[in-house]
Amino acid sequence: MGWDLATPFIIDLQVAPEDIDGLGHANNAVYVSWLERCAWRHSQRLGLDLTEYRRLDRAMAVVRHEIDYLAAGYEADELQLATWIVDWDQRLKMTRRFQLVRPRDGATLLRAQTTFVCIELSSGKPKRMPAEFIEGYGPALTGG
């Protein structure tokens, strides 16, 4: 597969009938939900699930999505969505990149970058990352 970066975390997706909009292709809002699903699954794989977020009273919240929609996905398309953590300051911010590929023809349907900020769940305010975030997310950092 022609991934943009080495060692991606990958989830498999299939475009469902309910993902299709009036133009006959997967709706752009569905792509955003896939980005969230992929990021969560990667976080869970790194040991940082919702239970751990609650225990630590911290979470990584989206503050910016940058999305390039490059090609359409259609009903029943089998897709793979990859993510990489490409930047972080070990205090508040972290950046992920994403690439959505249709393996059947090798087409990249989407490239995206999402910026997250660490927040305190109880207040919703930005708060420094706990050591557990640095230990969990740090090893997944890749050049990007």
Side-chain angles (χ1 to χ4, degrees):
M1 190 64 56
W3 297 116
D4 291 342
L5 299 171
T7 63
F9 174 84
I10 301 166
I11 64 170
D12 294 319
L13 300 164
Q14 183 176 37
V15 181
E18 60 270 17
D19 298 333
I20 303 301
D21 63 18
L23 301 177
H25 59 254
N27 186 275
N28 63 306
V30 173
Y31 288 89
V32 175
S33 71
W34 291 340
L35 298 179
E36 179 187 25
R37 184 184 313 170
C38 188
W40 263 117
R41 288 192 185 160
H42 188 217
S43 288
Q44 291 166 339
R45 172 73 53 86
L46 297 172
L48 295 165
D49 61 10
L50 194 53
T51 301
E52 187 69 354
Y53 274 22
R54 288 181 179 139
R55 183 185 76 76
L56 296 167
D57 192 29
R58 295 290 190 285
M60 296 307 294
V62 173
V63 293
R64 181 179 175 88
H65 283 302
E66 298 173 67
I67 303 172
D68 294 319
Y69 297 96
L70 305 170
Y74 298 96
E75 187 174 337
D77 274 352
E78 302 277 345
L79 308 174
Q80 290 189 313
L81 180 58
T83 189
W84 302 264
I85 297 172
V86 295
D87 191 36
W88 72 329
D89 63 9
Q90 298 185 36
R91 294 184 307 276
L92 290 174
K93 285 189 172 184
M94 178 173 74
T95 304
R96 284 183 176 277
R97 281 182 50 186
F98 297 89
Q99 182 183 2
L100 181 65
V101 170
R102 185 173 45 225
R104 161 174 63 78
D105 60 5
T108 293
L109 306 186
L110 168 146
R111 284 190 176 92
Q113 182 168 293
T114 301
T115 304
F116 298 83
V117 169
C118 186
I119 62 167
E120 182 178 58
L121 285 171
S122 57
S123 70
K125 295 184 179 180
K127 199 73 160 193
R128 190 174 184 93
M129 289 181 196
E132 291 88 343
F133 278 27
I134 293 167
E135 293 161 7
Y137 288 121
L141 183 67
T142 188

